[in-house]
Amino acid sequence: MKIQIINGPNLNMLGKREPGIYGDQSFESYLKTLRSQYQDIEFGYAQSNIEGELVTLIQDSGDKSDGIILNGGGYTHTSVAIADAISAISKPVVEVHISNLLSREEYRHKSITGRVCRGTVMGFGLDGYRLATEALINIVKRG
Amino acid sequence: MKIQIINGPNLNMLGKREPGIYGDQSFESYLKTLRSQYQDIEFGYAQSNIEGELVTLIQDSGDKSDGIILNGGGYTHTSVAIADAISAISKPVVEVHISNLLSREEYRHKSITGRVCRGTVMGFGLDGYRLATEALINIVKRG
Amino acid sequence: MKIQIINGPNLNMLGKREPGIYGDQSFESYLKTLRSQYQDIEFGYAQSNIEGELVTLIQDSGDKSDGIILNGGGYTHTSVAIADAISAISKPVVEVHISNLLSREEYRHKSITGRVCRGTVMGFGLDGYRLATEALINIVKRG
Amino acid sequence: MKIQIINGPNLNMLGKREPGIYGDQSFESYLKTLRSQYQDIEFGYAQSNIEGELVTLIQDSGDKSDGIILNGGGYTHTSVAIADAISAISKPVVEVHISNLLSREEYRHKSITGRVCRGTVMGFGLDGYRLATEALINIVKRG
Amino acid sequence: MKIQIINGPNLNMLGKREPGIYGDQSFESYLKTLRSQYQDIEFGYAQSNIEGELVTLIQDSGDKSDGIILNGGGYTHTSVAIADAISAISKPVVEVHISNLLSREEYRHKSITGRVCRGTVMGFGLDGYRLATEALINIVKRG
Amino acid sequence: MKIQIINGPNLNMLGKREPGIYGDQSFESYLKTLRSQYQDIEFGYAQSNIEGELVTLIQDSGDKSDGIILNGGGYTHTSVAIADAISAISKPVVEVHISNLLSREEYRHKSITGRVCRGTVMGFGLDGYRLATEALINIVKRG
Amino acid sequence: MKIQIINGPNLNMLGKREPGIYGDQSFESYLKTLRSQYQDIEFGYAQSNIEGELVTLIQDSGDKSDGIILNGGGYTHTSVAIADAISAISKPVVEVHISNLLSREEYRHKSITGRVCRGTVMGFGLDGYRLATEALINIVKRG
Amino acid sequence: MKIQIINGPNLNMLGKREPGIYGDQSFESYLKTLRSQYQDIEFGYAQSNIEGELVTLIQDSGDKSDGIILNGGGYTHTSVAIADAISAISKPVVEVHISNLLSREEYRHKSITGRVCRGTVMGFGLDGYRLATEALINIVKRG
Amino acid sequence: MKIQIINGPNLNMLGKREPGIYGDQSFESYLKTLRSQYQDIEFGYAQSNIEGELVTLIQDSGDKSDGIILNGGGYTHTSVAIADAISAISKPVVEVHISNLLSREEYRHKSITGRVCRGTVMGFGLDGYRLATEALINIVKRG
Amino acid sequence: MKIQIINGPNLNMLGKREPGIYGDQSFESYLKTLRSQYQDIEFGYAQSNIEGELVTLIQDSGDKSDGIILNGGGYTHTSVAIADAISAISKPVVEVHISNLLSREEYRHKSITGRVCRGTVMGFGLDGYRLATEALINIVKRG
Amino acid sequence: MKIQIINGPNLNMLGKREPGIYGDQSFESYLKTLRSQYQDIEFGYAQSNIEGELVTLIQDSGDKSDGIILNGGGYTHTSVAIADAISAISKPVVEVHISNLLSREEYRHKSITGRVCRGTVMGFGLDGYRLATEALINIVKRG
Amino acid sequence: MKIQIINGPNLNMLGKREPGIYGDQSFESYLKTLRSQYQDIEFGYAQSNIEGELVTLIQDSGDKSDGIILNGGGYTHTSVAIADAISAISKPVVEVHISNLLSREEYRHKSITGRVCRGTVMGFGLDGYRLATEALINIVKRG
């Protein structure tokens, strides 16, 4: 089973960026732990600050993975283009957010991309990626 | 470790109610599976159609459990009283929704209660309760 | 044929409450007349001030009656929980309001519950319950 | 007793127009049944696609009938002119809609004309005209 | 000098309609007084309940009069078509309203047609037509 | 008969300020013409840039004049205090605006003060003060 | 003189709940002080987390007390049902809030129930109940 | 092949009306050119300033033509009645606007009728009618 | 102890202004009674119709009194300047309104100044000033 | 004559993406047909998923082509940057959309980029590109 | 060269007022430094808490200075009167704010007065006045 | 001292693009002047039309410069991603806009990025970059 993790803008700053909100671990470091926990899953990983590259990454993952874990970062709230890319592929996409967006600024409460994902996991820090993995395993198992 | 599951209005109809959206399994049946999967966790379970009883259930669970899994059903979108009850206790609360609310009616996109929960899991059917359990275990472990 | 009438909050005050708007007859007194007019219909009747009890009453009536006449009172405008209960059962529900809500305060113009009912009768005083009865008879007859 | 039925735009298409929503019976055919059911009531009938002609029809019916059954069609949601005509006469007007407007597009949820009518009957198909007739008989009887 | 007075929907009911708001004099009766006051002005007069006829009346008056006094009635608040007709002609149009719309329902506060008129006179009863006449005389005089 | 004219902020700049919108005549110069046209009317005149002084001027005019012509300038759109002063006195107040506010910026379309005035005259340049005088004469005459 | 105090959801948590906002004294403890201060007033007291029970408590107090002090808690902002109950009785109701709602979240700024109360006292901690008592004594004295 | 062109309010003024926006050619003159370009297409043409007549024209064209080109003029933005007429017939309707509505006033940005048309051509002056003809030919050809 | 009472626009009209809403007693007359009730409190009193003078009065009272009772009148709903003045001083400010603003026009429901006051007393007529005095005594006592 | 076609995000998925909405033909395949239809026009073609690359493509086409056909995809509804690029060049831009955006989600009804284009063609499938070509030819011909 | 600095409400409290936001230096003290830095510029200075006095100050400065630095304080967000005064004079006005309004309350994000100023400098503390001086020197130099 | 200037979309068109708004000088030409004025400051400069590249540029400048001058162009009004990048670094960012956005289209009035910058300079043409430089020097000096 292959899962593609796609991280959006500023998630390359994890560990350095506002640790009170996002924690002090880099994503690369977390990814090692995740891979060691799920050794029979092949995790692809890509990060981009560019909305259109996220579009392309999602389009490309449609054929190459069994499911996508997407943290669209700041594009979550506005990107019709990313939402359209999700609709354009048939593989399940699970949205993850590290912080609880509902307890932050009003403009972070709305998710354009979440509407076309299977579901959302948010507020659990980096552990959300593990939960999303669990969710995807279950979705794929159920067929 | 004790986890209190609290289900809100119409969740007593699971399995009978709009199976296209909510599936065809009753919650009681699902709960058996969940308990068998997590044998060292003591799951309390309560359901009520009454907003104020959910308030009381949350208040009471504050002392008696290590964390709460809450599916507030239709009160999710409007209940300041339930949100205030969550704020009034110190134990972590995880919000679960069976369907992906973001792909349904506009008025289901807003969660008043989610703002004061630790996080949200939604869109994964009954499996969301397992994911919330995983989330709570991790939260308690991290301290 | 069985019709369940379910009245929401403050409708137990009929005859005593703001007679300029709601008239001076109690519902119990009116119900007698209604029953005498439709002797081959079995009218169930329940009133509650509690939103969640109305949810339960609707759920329970799904199996025990051929149709429901619902006056949700003040919950009409806000209750996703009651609307979800109506969607959860297969029997037809007709919404009744004693006064013409459209000529009252702006917040009474919106009906959350009416969206999932078969139809609405409003503005005709207690006579609305008779009209709703007529509507239900016709719905059941048409199959 | 005289009742004037006034139908607005596109109701001349009944039976031919979107039968999934409006049914497959023409209004003329339905009207025959209605007249045969209420033989001591004289039903006037007029239909126009033109907003201003509906205004005139309402003004004229003020003197010539004991009450009006109005289905304003698409003008229901926007016509201050029709609402003003209803306010300008003293005879009771009952608003009828064939479909349940609340379960259709958002812009059909608002009724400008309904604010100045006695009441509304909606969602019961053509049977709504019979229910409106019953309502008017009762209004006239009560004085 | 020729002034065309154009009255919109329900203004044919003046004297009969809601006298608390609109007074008890018919427009025809008022017009006699007005004509006698301004004997060297030729007043044309037309009333229609139909929005599109008002459009045509305005178009036609563009060539035949030196200015128009328009009371668009209920179309004032919504009619882009009438506003476009006013923009399409070069003669000055003065908007008149008998009642003070700002002290009535919120939806009467907005004037679509007033944006393209020279000015507005409202709240002075039928005397507003005399004031509008005075305004037009002055506009024409100034060139 | 005594009429008090009260001009609000920036109307002391008339003739100097944006002549394309407000014309090139000072108010003092116009007032001379107006007084000569209505020799049996005693016109009081006051201008202030200060909202609260306009409140006081209105309060004081309540006893000392038969009616007020008010051009509230920029306070028209926001001043609850001036509107309350108008409500606090019993004499009629007529609102005047030199330009047609409806064809200018959106925030000039709303008049807080106009709601409690008898009526409004706007868009006719300084001639609006003459028309307001005519309106007040008629109001006083009618009693 | 009899005053009925009715407290809504989560006010049973006073002293335990968010002491930074609500203080550290339980309501029962405070009530003792209040009763000792006003020995000739009979204070009834009831608390419920359930909206519909608050409706019933208000209905019942209409006959049994001279006035009601109501802290509707989280239902203040949404409950048409409680507001309707207040309108349904003739005794004066005074709304109390412990914290200053205007300096908290936007959704706490709106009070549906306050519209039909005599007045509001908010922001003074538990002392607000004493002030409301003073207010009610004065209202009853004035007749 | 038959195409019915239906023009709404003020389009009878083309060539005379605001030439900076709408050009200086009358529609009749343009129609001649269009007919000469498409000699095997039979173009019907009708114009009305009256919303309800446009409704009737659309209803009638449903049977008599292979497709409709509609320029609803000022009714485009508000007319539910015209939109309902389009839904009531099965023939394709193409919406045309002479000017680019998106670069004009905000209230011209919204098209109620465009929602139920096949598509829209706007901003190309009278040439839009030729483009709409091309579009309709293609639609009919594709079946 | 010194308390400064600051009244805003039109409160100099108390007793004369809309007695149905504001009562028929002047503030000066009421103040005598208040002073006689609280003989060990020194009440300062100032009224101004001018927003900026209220700003200055609040700034000046910051040093000279132990607390302020403020009735901002019509500026309550819009004045950022007064709110900033309240924030700029350290002494407690209590907002008072004579009428229940929540049962009046929508634009009176919002209080800009109330957000930075300690609390609000409204709806109890002039007695609100006594209640505010009681509130301030308690605030000062608690420290 | 040179026409530059610029396609935005996800249009590289044409033929594979949601064929119910977008059809089953790839753009490259369609482009061949288009080129063969207009052999004397040189069509440039570029597609990008990246908003900023679309900005650059538009800037570059300003000098190198006689007009642009732009389908901005999901950026149509939000991109001020693309709109500014269109304003920054002097060549005409025609907006094309394959589906009728007005009959899809609300957020697709608004076009930021369409405001600064010459016009829009939408709802005609890939044929819209041919119609836009026709429109551009006419624009260039007219000068 | 003469520059007039005009400060609005509460800026007389600088140094004393909320030092966390506004710093701990009085404006008078800062002004000394500024004057010593720009010895060939004559700085006029005026402060008022009264909106209308700010209007007058701006009007008067139109003739007496080469440019104005305006900090409208709380009136920035609401004052049409001040904005109109700025439009009424021909000299350039630069808006200054000490704090970054965009990172404070929502109602401080909107500037009515800034629309008619040349530009805005905000968020740099008192240094903003120096920057505004630099801006004005450049504007005057460019002519 | 090092200052990084980052320009967003379409600013590479300066001098060529809408000179009435943006002037006729290219940024490169202006930058030379700026560098010659501040010879002891090292100015980095980068421009990109791509939102995500601006995110990366800001992230990278966090370590390599003492402060950033950012003109986000059209992304200013919508980009949460850029705002998050600014929050993710600790160096001060000053927002610059060449034109006065408040006097242009409504959608340019809102700045998402400005909320997390230190301050804003806008409306002074290219001179704004010099003013921002001055502001940054002062911020760095103050520590």
Side-chain angles (χ1 to χ4, degrees), chain A residues 12-133:
Chain A
N12 59 332
M13 298 289 276
L14 269 183
K16 281 176 283 187
R17 166 198 186 198
E18 300 176 280
I21 300 174
Y22 298 104
D24 52 10
Q25 193 178 9
S26 76
F27 194 77
E28 284 71 15
S29 149
Y30 173 76
L31 189 54
K32 272 188 205 151
T33 319
L34 189 68
R35 279 176 170 147
S36 71
Q37 282 179 300
Y38 295 91
Q39 300 197 357
D40 47 349
I41 292 179
E42 188 181 323
F43 285 99
Y45 172 59
Q47 189 275 341
S48 175
N49 289 332
I50 298 175
E51 185 178 4
E53 287 186 359
L54 297 170
V55 169
T56 306
L57 283 165
I58 291 165
Q59 291 177 352
D60 290 352
S61 304
D63 293 335
K64 298 180 198 149
S65 72
D66 298 295
I68 296 173
I69 295 173
L70 172 69
N71 183 338
Y75 297 132
T76 302
H77 319 298
T78 54
S79 180
V80 176
I82 294 177
D84 284 355
I86 297 170
S87 299
I89 64 170
S90 58
K91 294 298 161 51
V93 180
V94 172
E95 180 154 318
V96 169
H97 298 291
I98 290 172
S99 63
N100 181 0
L101 298 179
L102 296 175
S103 58
R104 297 179 68 194
E105 299 93 334
E106 190 75 20
Y107 62 82
R108 296 193 202 267
H109 294 197
K110 176 169 129 183
S111 172
I112 296 283
T113 52
R115 296 181 190 176
V116 286
C117 290
R118 281 297 176 91
T120 296
V121 173
M122 87 177 153
F124 306 111
L126 284 167
D127 195 39
Y129 290 87
R130 179 180 65 91
L131 298 171
T133 302

Side-chain angles (χ1 to χ4, degrees), chain L residues 120-135:
Chain L
T120 296
V121 173
M122 85 178 157
F124 306 110
L126 284 167
D127 194 40
Y129 290 87
R130 178 180 66 94
L131 298 171
T133 302
E134 287 288 330

Side-chain angles (χ1 to χ4, degrees), chain D residues 5 11 28 34 38 41 44 53-54 56-57 65 70-71 84 101 103 107 109 111-112 114-115 124 126 129 131 139 141:
Chain D
I5 298 176
L11 289 156
E28 285 70 16
L34 189 68
Y38 296 89
I41 292 178
E53 287 186 359
L54 296 170
T56 305
L57 282 164
S65 71
L70 172 69
N71 183 339
D84 284 355
L101 298 180
S103 58
Y107 62 83
H109 295 197
S111 172
I112 296 284
R115 296 181 191 175
F124 306 111
L126 284 167
Y129 291 86
L131 298 170
I139 288 167
K141 234 187 341 202

Side-chain angles (χ1 to χ4, degrees), chain H residues 100 114 117 119-120 122 130 134, chain J residues 100 114 117 119-120 122 130 134:
Chain H
N100 181 1
C117 290
T120 296
M122 84 178 156
R130 178 180 66 93
E134 286 289 329
Chain J
N100 181 0
C117 290
T120 295
M122 87 179 154
R130 178 181 65 93
E134 287 288 331

